[in-house]
Amino acid sequence: MYRIGELASQCDIKADTLRFYEKHGLLAPSSRSGSGYRLYTKDDASRLRFILRAKAVGFTLNEISELLSIELDKANWACADVKGMVDNKLEQVTAKIAELTQFANSLQSLSNACCGGPDSAEHCSILEALESEDKQLSAKNETSHKGHHHAVK
Amino acid sequence: MYRIGELASQCDIKADTLRFYEKHGLLAPSSRSGSGYRLYTKDDASRLRFILRAKAVGFTLNEISELLSIELDKANWACADVKGMVDNKLEQVTAKIAELTQFANSLQSLSNACCGGPDSAEHCSILEALESEDKQLSAKNETSHKGHHHAVK
DNA sequence: CTTGACCTTAGATTAAACTCCAAGGTTTAT
DNA sequence: ATAAACCTTGGAGTTTAATCTAAGGTCAAG
């Protein structure tokens, strides 16, 4: 059993943040001490680490509680529903990985374009590296237009 | 040359957002029309797409302008500095990809743990899937503790 | 038996990133 | 030449995710 401050410092967040997460239904301590102190179990800590990982990776707290509600509520869901929601999130994550990889490529060509020596960077064609990377992308996107299409009036 | 609304709808954002980015030094139009309308070039659009990709991937606008300032200012930097900053960002991106991959693994084991049938999800051991994934992680983190260590007083 | 580090609550404040509004100027199409 | 659909500015309002404040209760050590 951890008290709020212990769990917080363990996970490098503030106690306030844990109270905030509790208020917003993301993580409640499994129990309270006689005097009302929050007591968190190892499972609670586990759940918190899941939340923090999800957050680090760009999910909003709302998206995270959606994900977690699946688990809280699982008796009231059909297996197929649960699998559907999870697979849906998984798709988002996969898309995010693809975007990140693309981004890493941009940065890599930026780095490669730069000699790394002591001279002025004026002649490092960084912008060109970015642009060429971007051109590859838009060329790809012209043929297969992903995402929700918006009206162009 | 695009006007603000054109560029905005092209990139699925609001004109307001472009004005906001301009105010915060991320992207200014290359020119203005006689009557003061913002006029964006293809390079501006390129830069915008870079910003949006960076944002999608979890960088803050501050981090993004740091990255972009490298390019704006390149005559005043040594090649080595530029390469250093870019490689630093590249490390962050790589770390983010690792986290995302871990997260995708969590979700995948969640999905695998679920039969996907029409019955109640009560017996899908989703929490257990998350926990076991998390235990693997914390086991790994105990030996090699990455990140800034905080005082535990 | 008090000091200091913890904890409780409710509510105010902050920061980032938009998002909207009002009042007016510009373009284009009919 | 006038309506619709753009654009301009400055400034106010919103949302998300904390973070801080005030006023007080708890607990282990000396």
Side-chain angles (χ1 to χ4, degrees):
Chain A
M1 294 299 216
Y2 316 105
R3 282 182 315 181
I4 197 168
E6 278 175 290
L7 181 57
S9 78
Q10 226 176 78
C11 292
D12 216 356
I13 57 173
K14 302 248 168 88
D16 275 332
T17 305
L18 281 169
R19 293 196 198 93
F20 176 83
Y21 287 171
E22 182 173 352
K23 195 157 64 184
H24 290 72
L26 279 113
L27 174 67
S30 294
S31 58
R32 294 281 185 130
S33 76
S35 53
Y37 286 17
R38 288 167 178 81
L39 295 173
Y40 296 91
T41 63
K42 270 182 180 177
D43 280 2
D44 295 334
S46 218
R47 190 182 165 99
L48 176 59
R49 277 190 296 273
F50 181 81
I51 292 168
L52 295 178
R53 247 185 302 145
K55 219 174 64 68
V57 131
F59 282 97
T60 65
L61 297 190
N62 268 354
E63 288 171 317
I64 296 168
S65 56
E66 199 180 308
L67 249 172
L68 289 172
S69 74
I70 295 171
E71 176 252 300
L72 270 179
D73 223 25
K74 61 181 175 177
N76 298 315
W77 292 88
C79 257
D81 297 331
V82 171
K83 207 183 177 71
M85 284 172 95
V86 172
D87 286 351
N88 184 23
K89 285 287 171 202
L90 192 53
E91 240 171 74
Q92 288 177 40
V93 173
T94 309
K96 235 167 241 236
I97 289 177
E99 265 175 314
L100 255 180
T101 305
Q102 205 93 65
F103 194 77
N105 286 344
S106 285
L107 288 180
Q108 191 62 66
S109 41
L110 236 122
S111 176
N112 292 345
C114 197
C115 64
D119 300 338
S120 156
E122 199 154 13
H123 300 297
C124 291
S125 49
I126 281 166
L127 183 55
E128 290 87 77
L130 276 180
E131 268 166 32
S132 68
E133 171 60 33
D134 195 57
K135 255 153 215 157
Q136 284 168 34
L137 261 163
S138 35
K140 246 184 279 175
N141 284 349
E142 265 153 41
T143 49
S144 77
H145 197 56
K146 62 146 200 188
H148 43 241
H149 43 87
H150 48 280
V152 180
K153 37 191 169 176
Chain B
M1 295 298 216
Y2 316 105
R3 283 184 313 181
I4 197 167
E6 278 174 289
L7 181 56
S9 79
Q10 223 175 80
C11 291
D12 217 355
I13 58 174
K14 301 246 168 91
D16 274 332
T17 304
L18 282 169
R19 294 196 198 93
F20 176 84
Y21 286 171
E22 183 174 351
K23 196 158 65 188
H24 289 73
L26 279 112
L27 175 67
S30 294
S31 57
R32 293 281 186 131
S33 77
S35 53
Y37 285 17
R38 288 166 179 81
L39 295 174
Y40 296 89
T41 64
K42 266 175 188 189
D43 280 3
D44 295 334
S46 220
R47 190 182 165 98
L48 176 59
R49 277 190 296 272
F50 181 81
I51 292 168
L52 295 177
R53 247 184 303 145
K55 219 174 62 69
V57 130
F59 283 98
T60 65
L61 297 190
N62 269 355
E63 288 170 318
I64 296 169
S65 53
E66 198 181 308
L67 249 172
L68 289 172
S69 74
I70 296 171
E71 176 252 300
L72 270 179
D73 224 23
K74 61 182 174 177
N76 298 314
W77 293 88
C79 255
D81 297 331
V82 171
K83 208 183 176 69
M85 284 172 95
V86 171
D87 286 351
N88 183 24
K89 284 289 171 200
L90 193 52
E91 239 172 76
Q92 287 177 40
V93 173
T94 309
K96 234 167 243 239
I97 290 177
E99 266 176 313
L100 255 179
T101 305
Q102 205 91 65
F103 194 77
N105 285 344
S106 285
L107 288 180
Q108 190 62 66
S109 43
L110 235 122
S111 176
N112 291 346
C114 197
C115 63
D119 299 339
S120 158
E122 199 153 13
H123 301 297
C124 292
S125 48
I126 281 164
L127 183 55
E128 290 88 78
L130 275 180
E131 268 167 34
S132 67
E133 171 61 33
D134 195 56
K135 256 154 215 154
Q136 284 167 34
L137 262 163
S138 35
K140 246 183 279 176
N141 285 349
E142 264 153 39
T143 50
S144 76
H145 195 54
K146 61 144 202 187
H148 44 241
H149 43 87
H150 49 281
V152 179
K153 36 188 170 176

